[in-house]
Amino acid sequence: MNSKKIKVLSISVFVVLIIIIGYSSVYGRLLPYSPVIVGFEQKIYKKATVYYHKGYSLPTLEEIDELIDENEKIHRLKYKRKVDIILCESDQEKKRITGSLTRAQSFPLFGRVVFSRKVQDEAIANEKPFRVYLQHELSHSLTQQNLSLFGTFTFPAWLNEGIAVYSANQFGKAGYFTQREVAEHLSQDVFFHPYWWPQPLQQAPIESKEFKLKNKYYFIYSEFGCIVDDLIRTYGRDRFIVYYHQLLENKNNEEAFLNVFGVSFFDYLNEFKTRMVSKLS
């Protein structure tokens, strides 16, 4: 192949890549990381910008600034930029943008939050409170905005979910388990180890003989929320915040846990289960 053909081929490949990246940034999987968001109407708040499609009913968002302030107090952390919230007009659009049909997701880098149409419709029909999901995702967004690129891969996924459940006080709401229900399952040896997350359930080892449980993901999230609540109740909020902030700085979980709480993570989990089950007495 002569140099002219190689040059033409190289330019063609480059142009195709630019087209693919451009399309993905505007309409596809790179949208959550794109420096600009197009194709949406905007509703601008003091601390957030909501992107939506004209003609669709929107869930109540007037308390967004208040929820952001509340999250900063709970996490003792500041958002580094306004929160971008994308409301999809259909679940198909949600899948095209994120690759998933989950109700909501937050993403690294900008901490953008994307909501499915389903969760919006549930809120408008008063079936599930949108505030709960919004507070949960705002917690993720705050954590994501304060993580380095390396930290997005090392920060414990269970802790990210646990803090979000705790900060949104999701226990017993929108399908999530109450703390007593979590304790009842723990008493039956139903326990999902934090380090197994976020492996697919069918690939994760299970301590109990069987993990036959309806709404497994709700249980797992609720269990992680209970761990965060227990850490705060047992050791105090100040020490928990020190632990959380150390992990945001890419500290090793095992080392940070032992240094802050004076107990290994393994031993703590056994104590956690014992304390939870004792509440049933």
Side-chain angles (χ1 to χ4, degrees), residues 113-250:
V113 179
V114 182
F115 283 100
S116 68
R117 185 69 227 172
K118 181 177 182 179
V119 73
Q120 298 173 64
D121 291 339
E122 288 173 339
I124 293 168
N126 294 317
E127 294 174 3
K128 291 189 176 182
F130 187 74
R131 178 190 171 107
V132 168
Y133 287 101
L134 180 57
Q135 184 79 317
H136 182 110
E137 296 304 326
L138 285 174
S139 172
H140 287 326
S141 178
L142 180 56
T143 296
Q144 298 284 13
Q145 285 192 19
N146 283 276
L147 283 171
S148 66
L149 181 60
F150 178 74
T152 62
F153 299 101
T154 61
F155 189 84
W158 72 266
L159 182 59
N160 199 4
E161 292 300 341
I163 294 175
V165 170
Y166 173 84
S167 64
N169 191 25
Q170 285 180 273
F171 303 111
K173 299 175 183 175
Y176 286 78
F177 287 58
T178 65
Q179 291 205 33
R180 183 173 183 83
E181 288 170 335
V182 172
E184 288 172 348
H185 287 295
L186 291 176
S187 71
Q188 299 167 23
D189 292 326
V190 176
F191 176 68
F192 195 90
H193 195 290
Y195 283 175
W196 296 341
W197 187 255
Q199 296 181 77
L201 290 183
Q202 64 271 20
Q203 295 179 16
I206 303 297
E207 283 192 359
S208 54
K209 294 180 180 179
E210 296 181 19
F211 201 63
K212 293 180 178 179
L213 179 69
K214 291 182 178 180
N215 301 323
K216 291 180 181 179
Y217 287 101
Y218 284 126
F219 171 78
I220 293 168
Y221 280 32
S222 301
E223 179 196 296
F224 295 164
C226 285
I227 292 175
V228 170
D229 181 74
D230 180 73
L231 283 170
I232 291 172
R233 289 178 183 273
T234 304
Y235 299 101
R237 183 179 297 276
D238 289 345
R239 289 171 74 180
F240 174 79
I241 291 297
V242 169
Y243 166 65
Y244 168 56
H245 286 189
Q246 283 191 7
L247 294 181
L248 288 174
E249 297 169 358
N250 302 329

Side-chain angles (χ1 to χ4, degrees), residues 5-189:
K5 288 184 178 180
I6 292 175
K7 184 177 181 180
V8 171
L9 179 60
S10 299
I11 293 174
S12 298
V13 171
F14 179 75
V15 170
V16 170
L17 286 175
I18 291 296
I19 292 173
I20 292 173
I21 292 172
Y23 176 84
S24 296
S25 298
V26 176
Y27 300 106
R29 304 286 180 85
L30 294 180
L31 178 59
Y33 311 101
S34 174
V36 295
I37 300 176
V38 299
F40 290 84
E41 302 289 323
Q42 293 184 26
K43 192 168 185 179
I44 300 175
Y45 296 87
K46 182 180 178 181
K47 299 186 176 183
T49 301
V50 177
Y51 295 86
Y52 65 96
H53 291 282
K54 194 172 183 180
Y56 280 82
S57 298
L58 302 179
T60 301
L61 291 162
E62 301 309 316
E63 56 187 356
I64 181 69
D65 290 332
E66 176 187 330
L67 293 180
I68 288 175
D69 287 338
E70 188 177 321
N71 254 320
E72 289 184 331
K73 290 177 182 176
I74 292 172
H75 296 69
R76 295 187 191 172
L77 205 61
K78 293 291 185 181
Y79 289 87
K80 293 187 174 182
R81 65 191 307 276
K82 291 181 72 169
V83 182
D84 291 332
I85 299 173
I86 300 174
L87 302 179
C88 296
E89 66 178 343
S90 67
D91 289 343
Q92 289 70 30
E93 181 179 54
K94 166 70 167 53
K95 187 173 184 179
R96 188 183 76 235
I97 292 174
T98 69
S100 169
L101 286 174
T102 56
R103 284 183 169 83
Q105 285 173 267
S106 63
F107 291 84
L109 190 60
F110 299 127
R112 279 191 183 131
V113 179
V114 182
F115 283 100
S116 68
R117 185 69 227 172
K118 181 177 182 179
V119 73
Q120 298 173 64
D121 291 339
E122 288 173 339
I124 293 168
N126 294 317
E127 294 174 3
K128 291 189 176 182
F130 187 74
R131 178 190 171 107
V132 168
Y133 287 101
L134 180 57
Q135 184 79 317
H136 182 110
E137 296 304 326
L138 285 174
S139 172
H140 287 326
S141 178
L142 180 56
T143 296
Q144 298 284 13
Q145 285 192 19
N146 283 276
L147 283 171
S148 66
L149 181 60
F150 178 74
T152 62
F153 299 101
T154 61
F155 189 84
W158 72 266
L159 182 59
N160 199 4
E161 292 300 341
I163 294 175
V165 170
Y166 173 84
S167 64
N169 191 25
Q170 285 180 273
F171 303 111
K173 299 175 183 175
Y176 286 78
F177 287 58
T178 65
Q179 291 205 33
R180 183 173 183 83
E181 288 170 335
V182 172
E184 288 172 348
H185 287 295
L186 291 176
S187 71
Q188 299 167 23
D189 292 326

